[in-house]
């Protein structure tokens, strides 16, 4: 496994996003299956594990705490605050006292004395970003958090936060079909020396060539059912992009999933993709994606094939888009 710098840490070039072991994609796997996957990831060379207080309303942190505590010295552990489950509902709350409360609860569930990278999961737009970051800076000074991150924010918000306390990483969605990071945040991260952690690098399974009929394949509570790109008309158009994509993967002698990960790794040494999976087979496949080397011509072909102009449907629905702070591309007339 290759390694990359993440602020003060050296981590595996690919990290494991743990959300779907407890949250958002329908029925979670059995605890023993989730445990086996986490340990297999560790044995495969993955040293960067990403969770959040929101995932399973604490269940995901509890899972990681139970399974990874004996291996804590081997990993860089990231979690998130500011978006949690309250009385069965998702709540965004960036008030300083709430973030400090979140941290204490996360430390207990994770069974650790310190969180290596602690993200503000969402910017609570009712609270100045400076106030929320100030609370996280307090946690650093108290030794409960080693470094600070931000999730789903704009370049402007990143700069405001970084002026209060150095930001180690910005996490946002980035893949061939989600390119908003290229508007401004990637450039801002590079200017400030902030690592970019790319979630959903496989386009929520679109780029794996395993999801051909969302209506039939996705469970009722799968979050993709609320995303415009997975609506039948849009998804049918998006599937038209796959034949050429699969040809490029065949030429590169890798699987479609490995091609998606290799494209991101080729975009810069400061980008760390975190993929999610529930199966050992897909875990092994994705880990091997770190060994795929793409030449400049192949990267350019992929850029031209799948991008904001060729993908059908916006990234999020209107309600979800209002909760995030990232830049967006103009909607085509």
């Amino acid at each position: 496994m290759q390694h990359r710098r993440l602020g003060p840490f050296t981590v595996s070039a690919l990290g494991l996003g743990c959300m779907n072991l407890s949250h958002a994609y329908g029925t979670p796997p059995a605890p023993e299956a989730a445990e086996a996957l986490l340990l297999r990831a560790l044995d495969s060379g993955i040293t960067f594990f990403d969770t959040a207080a929101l995932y399973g309303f604490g269940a995901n942190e509890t899972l990681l705490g139970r399974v990874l505590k004996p291996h804590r010295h081997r990993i860089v552990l990231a979690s998130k605050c500011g978006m949690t489950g309250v009385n069965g509902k998702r709540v965004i709350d960036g008030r300083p006292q709430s973030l400090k409360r979140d941290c204490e609860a996360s430390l207990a569930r994770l069974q650790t004395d310190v969180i290596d990278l602690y993200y503000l999961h969402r910017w609570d737009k009712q609270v100045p970003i400076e106030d929320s970051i100030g609370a996280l800076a307090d946690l650093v000074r108290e030794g409960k958090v080693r470094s600070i991150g931000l999730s789903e924010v704009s370049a402007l918000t990143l700069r405001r936060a970084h002026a209060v306390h150095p930001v180690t990483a910005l996490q946002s969605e980035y893949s061939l079909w989600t390119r908003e990071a290229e508007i401004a945040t990637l450039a801002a991260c590079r200017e400030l020396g902030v690592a970019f952690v790319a979630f959903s690098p496989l386009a929520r399974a679109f780029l794996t060539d395993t999801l051909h009929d969302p209506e039939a394949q996705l469970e009722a509570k799968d979050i993709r059912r609320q995303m415009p790109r997975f609506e039948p008309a849009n998804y049918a158009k998006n599937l038209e992009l796959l034949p050429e994509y699969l040809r490029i993967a065949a030429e590169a002698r890798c699987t479609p999933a490995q091609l998606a990960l290799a494209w991101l790794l080729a975009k810069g040494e400061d980008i760390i993709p975190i993929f999610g999976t529930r199966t050992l087979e897909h875990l092994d496949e994705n880990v091997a994606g770190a060994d795929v080397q793409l030449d400049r011509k192949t990267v350019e072909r992929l850029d031209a094939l799948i991008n904001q102009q060729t993908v059908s449907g916006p990234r999020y629905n209107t309600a979800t888009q209002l909760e995030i702070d990232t830049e967006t591309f103009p909607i085509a007339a």
Side-chain angles (χ1 to χ4, degrees):
M1 173 63 72
Q2 304 172 36
H3 291 84
R4 295 193 163 183
R5 292 297 299 174
L6 179 68
F9 312 109
T10 298
V11 299
S12 50
L14 296 174
L16 185 68
C18 300
M19 181 178 76
N20 66 357
L21 298 178
S22 308
H23 188 83
Y25 287 91
T27 306
E32 56 272 19
E35 177 176 351
L37 190 136
L38 291 171
L39 294 176
R40 178 74 152 263
L42 191 66
D43 289 342
S44 299
I46 289 179
T47 61
F48 183 37
F49 291 80
D50 181 275
T51 182
L54 176 72
Y55 302 161
F57 291 4
N60 198 245
E61 288 183 323
T62 299
L63 169 69
L64 266 64
R66 176 174 58 82
V67 176
L68 297 179
K69 181 181 179 180
H71 312 282
R72 183 67 181 88
H73 63 288
R74 298 171 56 189
I75 67 172
V76 171
L77 183 60
S79 194
K80 308 180 194 73
C81 61
M83 186 161 63
T84 58
V86 178
N87 297 324
K89 295 183 179 180
R90 181 168 58 88
V91 174
I92 297 175
D93 183 353
R95 293 174 297 170
Q97 64 270 31
S98 299
L99 302 183
K100 293 180 179 181
R101 176 204 63 205
D102 290 352
C103 184
E104 295 295 341
S106 289
L107 287 168
R109 288 190 292 261
L110 291 166
Q111 300 188 46
T112 188
D113 294 328
V114 61
I115 297 169
D116 297 315
L117 174 59
Y118 202 40
Y119 293 97
L120 183 66
H121 203 161
R122 291 290 184 274
W123 174 32
D124 179 353
K125 298 174 185 178
Q126 305 303 310
V127 179
I129 189 65
E130 291 82 359
D131 291 356
S132 296
I133 294 300
L136 299 188
D138 287 343
L139 292 171
V140 173
R141 285 188 285 270
E142 293 167 11
K144 297 174 181 177
V145 169
R146 288 198 171 103
S147 65
I148 290 174
L150 291 168
S151 177
E152 296 278 60
V153 301
S154 65
L156 175 60
T157 302
L158 170 63
R159 293 180 192 280
R160 287 173 57 189
H162 194 75
V164 175
H165 187 280
V167 175
T168 288
L170 186 153
Q171 180 176 145
S172 200
E173 185 173 356
Y174 189 26
S175 69
L176 276 163
W177 86 342
T178 297
R179 309 286 281 275
E180 280 80 359
E182 297 173 1
I183 299 173
T185 50
L186 268 176
C189 283
R190 285 165 177 163
E191 177 187 333
L192 298 172
V194 176
F196 191 97
V197 176
F199 75 78
S200 295
L202 304 179
R204 303 182 190 273
F206 171 70
L207 293 173
T208 65
D209 191 36
T210 61
L211 183 62
H212 302 117
D213 185 354
E215 287 293 302
Q217 291 178 252
L218 300 184
E219 294 186 31
K221 293 186 178 181
D222 192 302
I223 59 170
R224 288 170 289 186
R225 286 188 172 273
Q226 305 302 317
M227 295 178 176
R229 290 177 182 172
F230 292 90
E231 294 172 0
N234 285 332
Y235 204 72
K237 293 179 181 177
N238 291 329
L239 285 174
E240 295 174 3
L241 300 170
L242 279 186
E244 179 61 21
Y245 180 76
L246 298 179
R247 276 191 285 273
I248 297 173
E251 292 173 16
R253 297 184 178 181
C254 64
T255 70
Q258 291 168 349
L259 183 64
L261 294 168
W263 175 84
L264 266 174
L265 291 171
K267 283 292 178 175
E269 291 288 329
D270 53 349
I271 296 173
I272 302 169
I274 54 171
F275 65 85
T277 184
R278 294 179 175 184
T279 73
L280 299 179
E281 177 186 2
H282 289 159
L283 173 68
D284 294 344
E285 175 188 352
N286 293 345
V287 166
D291 297 325
V292 177
Q293 301 291 319
L294 302 181
D295 59 34
R296 181 176 56 84
K297 182 178 179 181
T298 301
V299 172
E300 291 174 350
R301 286 174 65 193
L302 291 168
D303 282 338
L305 176 64
I306 303 177
N307 56 61
Q308 69 276 7
Q309 295 178 326
T310 63
V311 169
S312 181
R315 175 186 170 205
Y316 284 138
N317 60 36
T318 301
T320 302
Q321 187 63 44
L322 290 173
E323 293 181 347
I324 65 174
D325 179 51
T326 55
E327 292 86 359
T328 59
F329 290 107
I331 299 175

